[in-house]
Amino acid sequence: MTMNVLGQIAWTIAYPGLFYVMVVYTSQVFVIVFLPLILYAFYRFFVQLTYFTWAFRIRRVLREYPWQLLKSVPSGLGKYQGARDDGMWFDFQNPADTEGRIPLVFIKHQRSYWWLKRMAGPRTKPHRRAQIEPLWFAGDPRFLAVVAASDRGGQAPKRLHMLYQRPVFDRRATPDAWGASGSDIERAQRAGAQGLDGTPQPQT
């Protein structure tokens, strides 16, 4: 969150700053040099701005769920059988069923290129794959979660990314049960899940 705020400040200053330097101090010959930098700073400003919503959602998840270190989490690229969406995915154990598996797909691809290069695939280099082994995980794969890689010392998470099931933020999608109890659903709602009011619960 702190880095996101600092990044927003930096790109907010960079865009008008570069524009001012180009207009006031630079001859027309160098406009072609500064213009791409200005356009890139403008792009990064808006990318950083849209990420604020996800940064707050990540923070909310981490307040409700503790970090876990998971080893050998299956992952892949493309279609996962039974998933609503195509794309990169992690495959987690269902908390309500030790034999069940639940995919979490990268529905939003903003800031996901780094992860793309490290998910299991035929072209994934072993040293890159090793950067997300073990995987930092906080959340409930039936609803929403935050995943992260280890820092250089392996003692803290970095590259935090939000994953979620589509019904969590899309009320048009029908919620899945996944064996979740009422308390599981309430906890996910405290963590920021929004579209779970109609989630079926197991019969007691």
Side-chain angles (χ1 to χ4, degrees):
M1 186 65 182
T2 301
M3 294 303 298
N4 197 68
V5 173
L6 292 176
Q8 184 66 43
I9 294 172
W11 289 113
T12 302
I13 295 173
Y15 170 65
L18 287 170
F19 188 81
Y20 179 79
V21 170
M22 183 185 74
V23 173
V24 177
Y25 296 103
T26 307
S27 66
Q28 294 182 352
V29 178
F30 292 97
V31 168
I32 194 171
V33 176
F34 273 85
L35 189 58
L37 296 175
I38 292 172
L39 293 176
Y40 181 72
F42 186 69
Y43 162 76
R44 286 303 301 267
F45 168 77
F46 279 100
V47 168
Q48 201 76 20
L49 188 64
T50 58
Y51 186 70
F52 260 106
T53 299
W54 293 103
F56 280 112
R57 284 175 173 172
I58 286 173
R59 186 176 183 181
R60 191 169 178 180
V61 171
L62 295 179
R63 284 179 172 176
E64 186 63 33
Y65 296 99
W67 282 115
Q68 306 175 56
L69 277 174
L70 305 181
K71 295 183 178 181
S72 303
V73 177
S75 66
L77 308 172
K79 181 66 176 177
Y80 183 102
Q81 186 176 2
R84 297 171 185 260
D85 302 278
D86 296 342
M88 303 181 295
W89 50 265
F90 281 111
D91 181 20
F92 298 98
Q93 180 181 310
N94 184 343
D97 179 7
T98 56
E99 301 298 325
R101 308 295 300 183
I102 299 176
L104 272 175
V105 180
F106 283 65
I107 297 175
K108 292 289 185 180
H109 294 287
Q110 184 182 25
R111 293 190 173 190
S112 64
Y113 182 75
W114 186 91
W115 290 91
L116 173 64
K117 292 295 185 179
R118 288 151 182 85
M119 307 293 279
R123 298 183 179 180
T124 304
K125 297 181 179 179
H127 74 276
R128 287 184 171 174
R129 175 63 181 168
Q131 292 175 7
I132 56 173
E133 176 63 37
L135 180 73
W136 290 77
F137 177 88
D140 187 328
R142 296 170 293 185
F143 307 112
L144 73 178
V146 177
V147 293
S150 294
D151 63 4
R152 288 188 177 182
Q155 302 300 313
K158 70 173 184 178
R159 298 278 182 178
L160 278 64
H161 196 93
M162 182 89 168
L163 298 177
Y164 58 94
Q165 302 293 346
R166 183 170 291 278
V168 166
F169 297 122
D170 185 353
R171 296 184 182 276
R172 297 170 298 178
T174 304
D176 290 315
W178 300 115
S181 65
S183 59
D184 294 330
I185 296 171
E186 290 175 1
R187 189 179 189 188
Q189 289 174 327
R190 292 196 301 269
Q194 299 171 1
L196 304 180
D197 292 338
T199 303
Q201 298 178 28
Q203 298 295 323
T204 56

